[in-house]
Amino acid sequence: MSVHRLDVLIVGGGPAGLAAAIVFGRNDLSVMVCEREALPRDKACGEGIMPTGVEHLAQLDAIAHLDPRYVRNLAGIRFHSAGGHVATAHFREGHGLGVRRTNLSAALLAATRRWPAIEIRHAACVRRLKMTSGGVLVQIGDDAVQARLLVGADGLHSRVRRWAGLEGPPQRLRRLGARQHFAINPCEPYVDVIQGRGIEAYVTPCGEGQVGVAFLWDPTVYREAQGGDGLIRSLMAAFPELERRFASTARLSQPIAAGPLHHLARRRAADAVILIGDAGGYIDACTGEGISIALAQAMAIEPTVVPVLKRYLGVPSELSLIPYVQACRAITRPYRIGTTLQLYLCRHPWLANRVVRALEGERDLLAHLVSANMGRVPFWPGWRATSRLLRAVLSPRPKAE
Ligand SMILES: Cc1cc2nc3c(=O)[nH]c(=O)nc-3n(C[C@H](O)[C@H](O)[C@H](O)COP(=O)(O)OP(=O)(O)OC[C@H]3O[C@@H](n4cnc5c(N)ncnc54)[C@H](O)[C@@H]3O)c2cc1C
């Protein structure tokens, strides 16, 4: 049987896989993306893309392919505490986007078509992989494909991560996510993050007259979630105001769930393998950074992995891929800090109520923290802002907590 030889094989056609394909393809490296579903593909997601992610979409030439009916500009994020306080952060870095996942998937797919070096295989689930001296050998349908580099872009439950021996230790955090779309008009250009007890709701305008409502919850704390058709109703029940608002509203999509969200990788590279996006490790979706991080990691391939494949015609060693691992570590560091802080507040709604109350009048500080989460400024806001925030958090006169 003949073997189809390539520079790069990407497993997974989500945002990470398609963005990585564009980067390899535009550098004239032959690349195949294997996606087990049909593309464009839907997925459980809050569908908010941070301004940094929007910049990367532009650099990948994908923005022009977005269908304007299923996208909305976002000016910032409104945090609603369980005690009724609301603090608004305006993005300093330009606008974000609320985008239906199918629209994002279609736009990235369209952007890949510009590069003849990219081949997309739909409904091609990669099941077995074998390491040979010439690279990774995979059977895809009737074809044997050998690639010098394998890219694991296969999401939270990555098979490539396991196959390459990069699986991290099992995690205690068992948070889950789900979403559905509702017809509603007019929508304000903000993501509303609403804190419940053991659960949060994320309402994102993502098209003409429609919002996506995503939920993230800890099933050990919020135990009311039901499976099947009752899932979204049982999650919405934690937010009486949302429940009222959406009671008689048409549903525009089927509910989709995902999780557990927390998965770690030991490293993001091994000989002939790199991991990207959720496959490389994920903590939680509470800061809405997953897509932006996946795109940033794809952009990081250009200065780190592309030169290795161009310079050397063999299989790249783990050592030669270290610059990519380091770049990814720098990209995800602010996300790890921001997500850990936010998860702490999710577990302590009384503290979250005080922090949101304190930030109500501190728009600059809140915008600073959102910028820090995107890696644009350090988290430390200075002594003066910190002491002001601490005084406000500790001061008595909270509303109902
Ligand atoms: C409820 C929820 C809300 C979220 N909200 C946001 C948000 O508002 N903003 C944000 O930026 N991020 C959000 N995220 C996170 C975001 O969805 C992910 O970080 C992002 O999708 C990661 O992209 P990816 O390409 O790494 O993985 P995925 O999008 O999961 O893509 C992986 C792809 O690999 C394919 N695949 C898997 N195994 C195989 C195989 N063996 N062979 C072939 N193909 C395979 C899958 O079919 C899939 O298409 C949210 C996540 C959840 C669960």
Side-chain angles (χ1 to χ4, degrees):
M1 192 197 330
S2 71
V3 176
H4 183 25
R5 290 201 165 72
L6 292 167
D7 292 312
V8 184
L9 175 72
I10 300 178
V11 181
L18 292 178
I22 294 168
V23 170
F24 287 118
R26 72 186 179 192
N27 284 283
D28 296 322
L29 290 161
S30 55
V31 49
M32 180 188 284
V33 180
C34 290
E35 165 56 49
R36 67 179 171 197
E37 311 275 339
L39 291 174
R41 183 181 185 260
D42 210 349
K43 179 195 174 288
C45 186
E47 302 176 331
I49 303 185
M50 296 290 141
T52 41
V54 177
E55 279 171 30
H56 294 317
L57 277 179
Q59 289 156 355
L60 293 163
D61 287 333
I63 294 267
H65 297 287
L66 285 172
D67 181 337
R69 289 173 299 166
Y70 303 106
V71 60
R72 274 285 167 273
N73 283 0
L74 298 175
I77 308 175
R78 291 192 295 220
F79 297 92
H80 303 248
S81 75
H85 294 281
V86 184
T88 305
H90 286 99
F91 294 134
R92 287 170 166 173
E93 293 75 13
H95 66 85
L97 288 178
V99 190
R100 282 288 292 258
R101 269 306 277 237
T102 40
N103 192 16
L104 176 68
S105 176
L108 285 165
L109 188 62
T112 63
R113 294 204 181 103
R114 180 168 165 205
W115 308 104
I118 304 174
E119 183 182 346
I120 309 276
R121 294 276 181 106
H122 303 249
C125 185
V126 174
R127 293 210 166 78
R128 265 186 299 278
L129 303 131
K130 194 173 154 198
M131 184 59 106
T132 66
S133 57
V136 178
L137 189 65
V138 181
Q139 189 68 32
I140 299 158
D142 293 337
D143 300 330
V145 176
Q146 189 179 48
R148 292 198 286 144
L149 178 71
L150 174 71
V151 178
D154 47 347
L156 288 177
H157 309 283
S158 170
R159 201 184 285 240
V160 173
R161 185 175 64 218
R162 240 176 304 135
W163 173 83
L166 296 174
E167 186 79 36
Q171 294 306 303
R172 275 184 300 121
L173 218 57
R174 308 300 292 166
R175 297 223 321 157
L176 304 171
R179 75 95 180 95
Q180 191 165 26
H181 295 95
F182 296 82
I184 203 149
N185 228 351
C187 313
E188 290 186 76
Y190 295 97
V191 177
D192 284 303
V193 179
I194 307 160
Q195 175 90 54
R197 296 186 193 279
I199 179 166
E200 311 94 57
Y202 300 77
V203 183
T204 309
C206 55
E208 281 167 15
Q210 59 180 287
V211 294
V213 183
F215 298 94
L216 298 173
W217 75 101
D218 179 344
T220 63
V221 182
Y222 187 74
R223 293 167 187 268
E224 282 73 23
Q226 293 168 9
D229 290 348
L231 174 65
I232 296 293
R233 206 177 332 109
S234 67
L235 300 172
M236 193 79 90
F239 305 94
E241 218 166 285
L242 275 190
E243 208 177 21
R244 270 194 299 280
R245 190 171 156 208
F246 292 113
S248 53
T249 311
R251 279 139 176 80
L252 299 175
S253 63
Q254 292 299 317
I256 311 184
L261 302 173
H262 197 185
H263 288 271
L264 294 185
R266 288 198 292 120
R267 291 183 306 281
R268 279 193 187 81
D271 289 343
V273 182
I274 60 169
L275 301 177
I276 185 167
D278 289 3
Y282 194 66
I283 306 174
D284 198 86
C286 61
T287 55
E289 291 284 347
I291 298 168
S292 304
I293 285 177
L295 300 178
Q297 291 178 345
M299 297 299 297
I301 284 175
E302 205 141 46
T304 57
V305 184
V306 167
V308 176
L309 293 174
K310 291 253 180 195
R311 209 169 37 232
Y312 174 62
L313 292 179
V315 173
S317 66
E318 181 181 337
L319 198 64
S320 69
L321 298 169
I322 283 179
Y324 169 74
V325 175
Q326 288 169 334
C328 289
R329 203 172 291 147
I331 289 165
T332 53
R333 189 171 174 273
Y335 158 77
R336 289 199 305 273
I337 297 172
T339 305
T340 306
L341 289 173
Q342 188 127 332
L343 281 175
Y344 188 82
L345 293 178
C346 291
R347 280 196 296 274
H348 301 89
W350 63 272
L351 180 60
N353 192 43
R354 285 181 167 232
V355 170
V356 174
R357 183 194 70 181
L359 288 169
E360 267 177 337
E362 292 278 359
R363 290 194 164 209
D364 278 353
L365 178 54
L366 188 52
H368 172 94
L369 293 174
V370 170
S371 294
N373 199 55
M374 287 184 248
R376 287 298 158 99
V377 293
F379 269 94
W380 179 245
W383 284 109
R384 208 177 279 172
T386 307
S387 72
R388 233 181 20 248
L389 180 67
L390 282 178
R391 271 202 311 276
V393 169
L394 296 173
S395 90
R397 58 171 188 83
K399 276 193 197 171
E401 281 179 16

